[in-house]
Amino acid sequence: MRIKFLAATILTIFTLGMVLSVIVIQRHNIQEVDVVAINDLTKKIENNWGQVTAQHVDHIVSQPFSIIDREENVLYRSPASSFTSSFASIKNRDTLIDLQQNNEVVGKLIIQNDAQSIVVRMKRDLIIAVTLILGLLMVVILIYLAIINRTLVKPFQQLQHFAVNVARGDFDRPLTMGKNNYFGAFTESFDLLRDELATARQRAYESNRSKKELVATLSHDIKTPLASIKAVTELMLLQTNDNKVKKHVQTIFSKADQIDLLVTDMFHATLEELQQLKVAVVEVSSTVLREMIENVNFDHNIDYDPIPPCLILTDTTRLQQVLDNIISNAYKYARTKIKIESRIHQDYLEVDIIDFGRGISEAELPLLFNKYYRGQNIAGQNGSGLGLYISKYFIEKMHGQINCYNRTDGFTVAIKIKLAT
Amino acid sequence: MMTKTIISTEKLCKTFSSGGNQQHVLKNLDISIAEGDFTVIMGSSGSGKSTLLYALSGMDKPTLGTIDFAGKNLAKLTQDQAAIFRRNHCGFVFQQIYLLDNMSVFDNILASGLLVTRNKQQLVKKAKALFQQVEIDEGSWSKFPTQLSGGEAQRVGIVRAIINKPKVLFADEPTGALNSAASENVLNVFTTINRAGQSIVLVTHDLKTAVRGNRILYLKDGVINGDLSLGHYHDCEDVERSDKLKHFLAEMGW
């Protein structure tokens, strides 16, 4: 655990600081005044008063010293001595000893006190040591803060973004997070939650769709025998001459026609009930297209130039659905980069969605926008065959046009959106 | 004869939003205005006439689209750049004249002129010539704006607007507050300076004013619904001309 490591580091630094301080203090211990040695020195000087030389006084005391007479003339000074005046010596707390000759003071022995300078040096060394240790501590703490930021704060922020995305209904963006942080397991369960939500939603959507498809398919299927009935009754109407029979057959024909209308209505009503076909056209700035494209540009697989600014007639929700549909088709069937080109031409904003896949066969082209039609290249891809049908329905409701064609290097779906006038 | 285009717009849009509501006042306008033309913009109230005038003259920035005015894209200018551009290339006449009341008529003109040029001598000469052109006699030059009649004041306003030789003179209901005799005088001034080559863009809903223009644009719900070319104005007796205009406006649902 990193906390143990941090505690150990701080403890080590603390101990290091203590040891360093002690060493500093020990190194600068103030020398005691050696009374015996000084007495010895005083005796030697008094005995040789008047002719003190180095050999008499050397090595008796370790401190530097000077000998002066009553007029403060220096009679002798040891090599390291720095005597200036007795006043300065008193200030420096030097040891002053009277030198006597026949019970009369003839001079003074001044033993210099070096405590002051030692204390100054010690203070300096201590400051350096303390600064060093505190600095080291600071560095450790800063590093630790950075680590906390990376392992705690950042993941939390990421988690927040993730939660916002999920709340917005965007289940496609996974939560990427290293497993070696504190939240590894924690965040993994969040990601599981997202997965579950996504599949649950997909399932709900699918069950809804299968219901819708059932009704839609049924109504479509009813239409086939109905068409036969209508055809036969029409034939009978032409063949019979009996007025009574003619009247009955006429009734059958008109009722069959009525059923036909009802079934068609049902088909549309089913889809509309599921909020699938309502189109509310408004005037919006073409800048919304950029957002729409960005909304589906998950892997940055889409290249697009700036959309020419203009005011278009569209239902933004539906147009988004159309773009989603076409782009996901391109993802699904072409699996190449997608390019979107747009230009203003006459009364339309033309948007071409271009992929670089294999396209589809020319024979299938006219069928693409048919209800329930699925191309030959659908192996392994799920779908209902309704996407392009609904897209065309939407675009036409917006007074626009949708077309598609093969190019030598891919497939293009061209949408024309009406400009506001 | 090839005429040069002085202003051209491309997909000009202006949107006002208040709260969550967006109101699209101008929609995808592609307009080009020829140099030397007397263009009149008409339309019912709230159709976007004044908004269009303000956008074309750089007083207001469009929401989308471009405005090419003498080779400059007004949509890209900052406020300060637009102010400098207007000072050098645009003249303005409004229904309210906004002459400075504490300056004489002549000083009002000089003050405008000195914004652009430092040559006072030439400016005075030009101002005198213009005053003559709009028939403001010398006796009125030293008067103060409050001593002028409405028609005179508006003619002074026009002099002020064209003293710096603007590329285009923009007018928003210049005769809206005048009686018919005074408007006739003011309109004559417009016709005169247009004949001398001044490009004019004028917004009005007055027929007598509109008939002076040689091109009528009819704006409806932010879109140009009609574009009528009238040719040059000769005199007020031209019944055929005003009939043509009335017919056009009737067709537009005036």
Side-chain angles (χ1 to χ4, degrees):
Chain A
M1 286 292 277
R2 285 214 173 82
I3 288 179
K4 273 185 194 162
F5 176 71
L6 176 81
T9 315
I10 289 177
L11 202 72
T12 314
I13 292 170
F14 182 73
T15 322
L16 211 69
M18 293 265 282
V19 170
L20 203 63
S21 310
V22 169
I23 289 174
V24 166
I25 293 167
Q26 288 279 325
R27 213 159 60 89
H28 294 293
N29 58 341
I30 300 165
Q31 285 170 335
E32 287 293 317
V33 178
D34 189 344
V35 183
V36 176
I38 290 173
N39 275 337
D40 190 19
L41 181 65
T42 315
K43 278 272 148 352
K44 280 246 166 77
I45 293 168
E46 280 173 354
N47 289 343
N48 299 299
W49 187 248
Q51 61 252 347
V52 181
T53 56
Q55 69 200 50
H56 294 125
V57 291
D58 249 7
H59 307 302
I60 298 174
V61 292
S62 52
Q63 287 100 331
F65 63 91
S66 312
I67 302 164
I68 54 172
D69 63 13
R70 276 194 298 197
E71 280 74 45
E72 297 205 356
N73 298 318
V74 180
L75 301 175
Y76 176 84
R77 65 165 79 207
S78 68
S81 161
S82 60
F83 173 81
T84 46
S85 66
S86 57
F87 182 68
S89 302
I90 290 166
K91 233 179 138 190
N92 196 36
R93 298 182 192 169
D94 290 348
T95 311
L96 275 71
I97 292 162
D98 289 342
L99 297 173
Q100 289 180 337
Q101 208 73 45
N102 308 322
N103 287 335
E104 197 184 337
V105 177
V106 291
K108 278 192 169 65
L109 168 64
I110 295 168
I111 299 166
Q112 250 171 284
N113 187 352
D114 51 359
Q116 203 80 352
S117 59
I118 288 171
V119 167
V120 168
R121 253 179 292 144
M122 189 165 71
K123 272 185 191 162
R124 200 192 56 212
D125 285 1
L126 266 179
I127 285 170
I128 289 171
V130 168
T131 314
L132 207 74
I133 294 303
L134 283 181
L136 206 61
L137 264 178
M138 191 176 74
V139 167
V140 167
I141 286 169
L142 281 182
I143 289 172
Y144 193 69
L145 278 180
I147 291 172
I148 283 181
N149 185 44
R150 224 192 50 210
T151 57
L152 270 175
V153 181
K154 282 273 166 64
F156 260 116
Q157 281 170 348
Q158 223 176 329
L159 209 59
Q160 194 196 349
H161 283 301
F162 171 79
V164 168
N165 272 339
V166 168
R168 222 187 268 140
D170 179 4
F171 299 134
D172 298 326
R173 218 162 297 171
L175 182 62
T176 46
M177 204 170 275
K179 294 232 168 58
N180 58 347
N181 72 40
Y182 297 128
F183 303 105
F186 185 56
T187 51
E188 209 183 342
S189 48
F190 267 100
D191 211 32
L192 276 175
L193 186 73
R194 174 190 68 84
D195 257 356
E196 284 303 309
L197 271 175
T199 39
R201 194 171 71 159
Q202 182 67 20
R203 230 177 279 134
Y205 172 74
E206 246 144 45
S207 81
N208 225 353
R209 201 179 59 180
S210 71
K211 254 184 259 163
K212 171 194 78 186
E213 274 176 27
L214 182 69
V215 177
T217 320
L218 261 180
S219 46
H220 194 253
D221 289 350
I222 291 170
K223 273 183 158 188
T224 321
L226 210 53
S228 321
I229 294 175
K230 275 167 79 179
V232 173
T233 46
E234 244 174 318
L235 195 67
M236 280 172 77
L237 268 177
L238 289 175
Q239 283 172 343
T240 182
N241 291 318
D242 189 336
N243 265 341
K244 210 174 165 191
V245 173
K246 211 168 193 170
K247 207 179 153 204
H248 288 318
V249 175
Q250 184 68 51
T251 313
I252 296 175
F253 181 77
S254 65
K255 293 296 163 195
D257 209 28
Q258 211 177 337
I259 295 173
D260 195 9
L261 278 177
L262 286 172
V263 168
T264 311
D265 274 1
M266 189 166 74
F267 175 69
H268 282 272
T270 324
L271 294 186
E272 251 168 59
E273 208 175 86
L274 294 158
Q275 288 284 318
Q276 292 272 333
L277 290 175
K278 270 190 196 130
V279 178
V281 178
V282 289
E283 294 164 347
V284 291
S285 155
S286 61
T287 44
V288 296
L289 274 170
R290 211 190 80 84
E291 289 166 39
M292 290 184 185
I293 295 169
E294 272 311 314
N295 279 343
V296 283
N297 194 4
F298 299 122
D299 309 325
H300 301 283
N301 248 340
I302 306 177
D303 276 344
Y304 59 98
D305 296 328
I307 313 286
C310 57
L311 209 59
I312 52 175
L313 275 178
T314 190
D315 177 330
T316 45
T317 330
R318 296 307 173 215
L319 187 59
Q320 176 83 70
Q321 243 171 296
V322 171
L323 283 177
D324 285 1
N325 200 297
I326 295 168
I327 289 167
S328 73
N329 276 349
Y331 277 140
K332 246 154 74 174
Y333 300 118
R335 299 198 197 110
T336 62
K337 278 239 161 222
I338 297 168
K339 207 170 148 198
I340 296 181
E341 286 175 359
S342 51
R343 75 200 75 82
I344 292 171
H345 186 241
Q346 285 163 352
D347 283 344
Y348 293 96
L349 174 66
E350 299 184 347
V351 181
D352 291 353
I353 295 122
I354 297 166
D355 70 42
F356 301 92
R358 281 175 299 149
I360 62 162
S361 71
E362 286 296 325
E364 283 184 296
L365 265 182
L367 303 173
L368 267 193
F369 291 105
N370 284 2
K371 212 187 303 175
Y372 304 121
Y373 183 80
R374 301 194 65 201
Q376 303 299 315
N377 56 347
I378 57 165
Q381 299 290 352
N382 55 358
S384 62
L386 272 174
L388 281 178
Y389 167 74
I390 289 175
S391 296
K392 190 180 170 77
Y393 178 87
F394 286 154
I395 292 288
E396 280 171 0
K397 282 267 171 180
M398 298 171 198
H399 317 292
Q401 292 165 22
I402 184 166
N403 275 305
C404 54
Y405 51 87
N406 283 311
R407 301 183 325 278
T408 48
D409 60 339
F411 188 68
T412 298
V413 179
I415 305 175
K416 288 168 102 179
I417 306 168
K418 191 116 173 68
L419 294 183
T421 48
Chain B
M1 190 180 75
M2 269 291 284
T3 45
K4 233 174 88 187
T5 301
I6 182 84
I7 308 177
S8 67
T9 72
E10 209 172 294
K11 303 295 168 232
L12 171 65
C13 303
K14 181 73 190 178
T15 304
F16 293 109
S17 18
S18 58
N21 286 342
Q22 289 202 322
Q23 204 193 348
H24 305 289
V25 180
L26 302 177
K27 304 171 188 170
N28 295 323
L29 295 182
D30 296 327
I31 302 174
S32 63
I33 287 168
E35 197 163 27
D37 247 10
F38 190 157
T39 310
V40 173
I41 302 171
M42 295 192 79
S44 49
S45 323
S47 58
K49 299 186 297 275
S50 298
T51 309
L52 175 59
L53 188 84
Y54 295 156
L56 290 180
S57 59
M59 271 202 273
D60 209 349
K61 252 192 169 178
T63 315
L64 294 172
T66 58
I67 302 169
D68 184 304
F69 189 142
K72 258 215 164 102
N73 183 0
L74 295 191
K76 287 242 169 80
L77 298 185
T78 64
Q79 270 198 342
D80 289 353
Q81 287 171 327
I84 292 167
F85 182 85
R86 287 199 301 269
R87 191 194 296 158
N88 291 326
H89 300 304
C90 305
F92 292 98
V93 177
F94 300 103
Q95 183 173 333
Q96 309 293 326
I97 302 150
Y98 304 117
L99 291 171
L100 300 172
D101 282 342
N102 51 358
M103 280 189 189
S104 74
V105 166
F106 207 89
D107 286 347
N108 258 287
I109 304 303
L110 290 187
S112 279
L114 287 172
L115 285 176
V116 173
T117 175
R118 290 270 158 252
N119 189 342
K120 198 171 168 187
Q121 234 173 352
Q122 210 175 356
L123 193 67
V124 169
K125 225 166 88 186
K126 205 159 83 181
K128 283 178 180 171
L130 286 176
F131 274 132
Q132 243 150 29
Q133 211 176 356
V134 304
E135 293 171 5
I136 300 269
D137 52 41
E138 212 166 330
S140 305
W141 295 357
S142 54
K143 283 188 186 169
F144 282 85
T146 43
Q147 296 171 289
L148 297 177
S149 73
E152 283 174 320
Q154 189 58 289
R155 279 179 280 153
V156 172
I158 295 172
V159 171
R160 181 185 55 184
I162 60 176
I163 186 74
N164 292 329
K165 283 211 163 122
K167 287 213 161 74
V168 180
L169 173 63
F170 294 95
D172 192 356
E173 297 283 8
T175 58
L178 303 178
N179 63 31
S180 59
S183 349
E184 208 57 39
N185 279 336
V186 167
L187 291 175
N188 285 336
V189 169
F190 275 108
T191 302
T192 314
I193 60 173
N194 176 240
R195 279 187 188 140
Q198 176 68 56
S199 314
I200 301 173
V201 176
L202 185 148
V203 164
T204 188
H205 53 234
D206 175 46
L207 267 180
K208 277 190 175 152
T209 309
V211 83
R212 302 287 181 139
N214 52 11
R215 184 186 179 198
I216 316 288
L217 294 174
Y218 192 85
L219 205 60
K220 192 179 183 186
D221 295 331
V223 179
I224 298 291
N225 239 20
D227 188 344
L228 177 72
S229 189
L230 276 180
H232 286 285
Y233 178 83
H234 297 293
D235 56 68
C236 53
E237 304 301 319
D238 195 343
V239 183
E240 201 185 320
R241 183 187 178 91
S242 59
D243 278 353
K244 203 172 162 190
L245 176 62
K246 277 180 199 160
H247 189 76
F248 168 73
L249 290 177
E251 207 174 287
M252 290 294 115
W254 173 252

